[in-house]
Amino acid sequence: MENLVPLGTGNSRFMKSNIQASTTLAQLIQMLNNGTFPYDIGPLNPAGISQQGTPLNKATLLKDATAALFGFGVDALPDDMFNALAHTGDLHVWKRTQNGEVDYPVSPNPDAYQDGTSGNTTIEYLGQLGNKAQIATGSYVGTGTYGANNPNTLTFDFEPKIVILWYQISTWENSANVFLLRWNYTTQFAPGASTNSNASDYISYITYSGNTISWYNANHPLYQLNNVGNTYSYLAIG
Amino acid sequence: MLIIEITALDNGAHRNQEGGLRTVPEGWARIPDGMEIPDTFPFVDIEVNGQTVTSMTAGIVPEPEPEPEPEPSLDEQVAELQEALHMILEGTTE
């Protein structure tokens, strides 16, 4: 878009009015004072501008064809489009093949288009934009705390399906301990599990709340994956 | 984005998380890109404005918890049992 740039010489636009030629100056002033002076804002005067600027109208703000891509009609407003874009995860997508040409209309309405072939047009539903896999990766540095009052927590922008935690085994450069946790299902894991009678000492207990996972071990930060200065990595898939 | 829990734990450390987060959880603050991270992290003292860390200085790192005694391996336990059995059998043959 380009701005309109007037020269500032008082002649950037023309104006048209249908007042009668017999209108007196007093009548003109009274109409102006009363807000009843009629006129049309005329076109730009090239002699009074240095740059015409991009006009604001239907063609430049929201064409019918653009609105139709989102399932909107000819009366759609720019605000409707902004709202749709803000909720792209809610949009449904179709593949439309028409006379050999392909496009991908979207709509917040899941019934906006019907699957199938009609004449020379074939419609295929592809899915909802929000229903796509999301992945988050990251890490945290251990704080050295442990216990039910000092759980570890990880928060995500989405509710994962699984979370994978791992850390490098310091003595083996090419090895790592890996723990795969199924969201809202896995309730325990055991870093440093042993077959001896104190195996329960190694167990970390897991809870889930919204998009946050928490876990703690009652005996040692090592078993809570929370040793001071150690970096622990995660991968969440949802 | 690197985030840190605003309230420190009892030992002076702050929970922390680095990853592709769009939203900072309640009670946490974002550490701006480019802010120097002290070597003592996450044992740091911080000042925040809303949910953004404005200052971070080195804290005190406590002595780490002693490493737990390693449990004897299965082979070691079997060897102990064999030795005990051998001593018992030797005792009965005297």
Side-chain angles (χ1 to χ4, degrees):
Chain A
M1 292 187 72
E2 290 187 336
N3 284 328
L4 166 67
V5 183
L7 290 173
T9 49
N11 60 339
S12 63
R13 281 192 178 276
F14 294 109
M15 186 174 76
K16 181 178 181 177
S17 176
N18 66 348
I19 59 171
Q20 299 298 314
S22 58
T23 303
T24 66
L25 177 60
Q27 288 171 331
L28 173 64
I29 292 174
Q30 188 171 37
M31 282 192 285
L32 289 171
N33 287 338
N34 293 342
T36 57
F37 180 80
Y39 72 97
D40 287 338
I41 298 178
L44 292 171
N45 178 13
I49 61 175
S50 64
Q51 180 170 286
Q52 182 160 355
T54 305
L56 291 180
N57 52 39
K58 188 181 175 73
T60 59
L61 278 175
L62 181 59
K63 293 186 179 67
D64 289 343
T66 305
L69 292 174
F70 282 75
F72 294 127
V74 298
D75 57 349
L77 300 172
D79 188 70
D80 297 328
M81 292 294 290
F82 294 144
N83 187 46
L85 291 170
H87 297 91
T88 51
D90 298 332
L91 292 175
H92 300 263
V93 186
W94 292 261
K95 177 182 178 182
R96 178 171 54 195
T97 307
Q98 192 169 27
N99 293 325
E101 293 190 2
V102 178
D103 69 344
Y104 297 91
V106 298
S107 174
N109 177 5
D111 299 320
Y113 301 90
Q114 300 303 313
D115 273 17
T117 298
S118 175
N120 55 4
T121 301
T122 299
I123 304 283
E124 178 190 355
Y125 180 68
L126 298 181
Q128 190 172 13
L129 287 177
N131 290 347
K132 301 301 174 215
Q134 301 179 79
I135 296 176
T137 61
S139 62
Y140 64 92
V141 179
T143 62
T145 54
Y146 62 96
N149 292 329
N150 296 294
N152 281 32
T153 67
L154 288 175
T155 299
F156 307 99
D157 288 327
F158 56 92
E159 184 177 297
K161 297 290 191 293
I162 62 171
V163 173
I164 301 172
L165 301 173
W166 76 89
Y167 64 96
Q168 192 74 42
I169 299 174
S170 60
T171 54
W172 299 335
E173 290 184 0
N174 296 321
S175 298
N177 277 338
V178 181
F179 304 94
L180 192 150
L181 313 174
R182 183 176 155 190
W183 196 266
N184 272 338
Y185 183 81
T186 307
T187 58
Q188 304 174 3
F189 70 108
S194 168
T195 56
N196 70 6
S197 60
N198 294 327
S200 61
D201 292 348
Y202 303 96
I203 293 176
S204 272
Y205 298 91
I206 305 169
T207 57
Y208 305 90
S209 177
N211 297 348
T212 298
I213 181 174
S214 304
W215 68 90
Y216 77 89
N217 173 271
N219 297 288
H220 199 282
L222 180 67
Y223 306 140
Q224 191 169 305
L225 300 188
N226 203 28
N227 251 12
V228 168
N230 279 11
T231 297
Y232 301 86
S233 303
Y234 67 82
L235 166 69
I237 302 175
Chain B
M1 179 164 62
L2 175 58
I3 60 174
I4 188 171
E5 192 171 33
I6 296 172
T7 302
L9 297 163
D10 289 343
N11 67 348
H14 293 258
R15 290 191 185 93
N16 57 92
Q17 181 178 343
E18 181 164 25
L21 282 169
R22 290 195 306 271
T23 307
V24 179
E26 190 175 333
W28 293 60
R30 173 181 160 269
I31 298 173
D33 295 340
M35 176 173 278
E36 188 173 339
I37 309 295
D39 292 339
T40 60
F41 186 86
F43 295 86
V44 291
D45 296 314
I46 61 172
E47 292 179 4
V48 300
N49 180 7
Q51 287 193 289
T52 301
V53 175
T54 57
S55 165
M56 185 186 306
T57 54
I60 299 172
V61 182
E63 287 296 317
E65 288 277 332
E67 290 279 334
E69 286 294 324
E71 296 291 338
S73 68
L74 188 58
D75 287 343
E76 288 171 339
Q77 293 178 60
V78 168
E80 281 186 32
L81 285 171
Q82 285 178 331
E83 184 175 347
L85 181 61
H86 181 66
M87 289 173 63
I88 292 169
L89 290 175
E90 278 191 342
T92 59
T93 60
E94 280 188 8

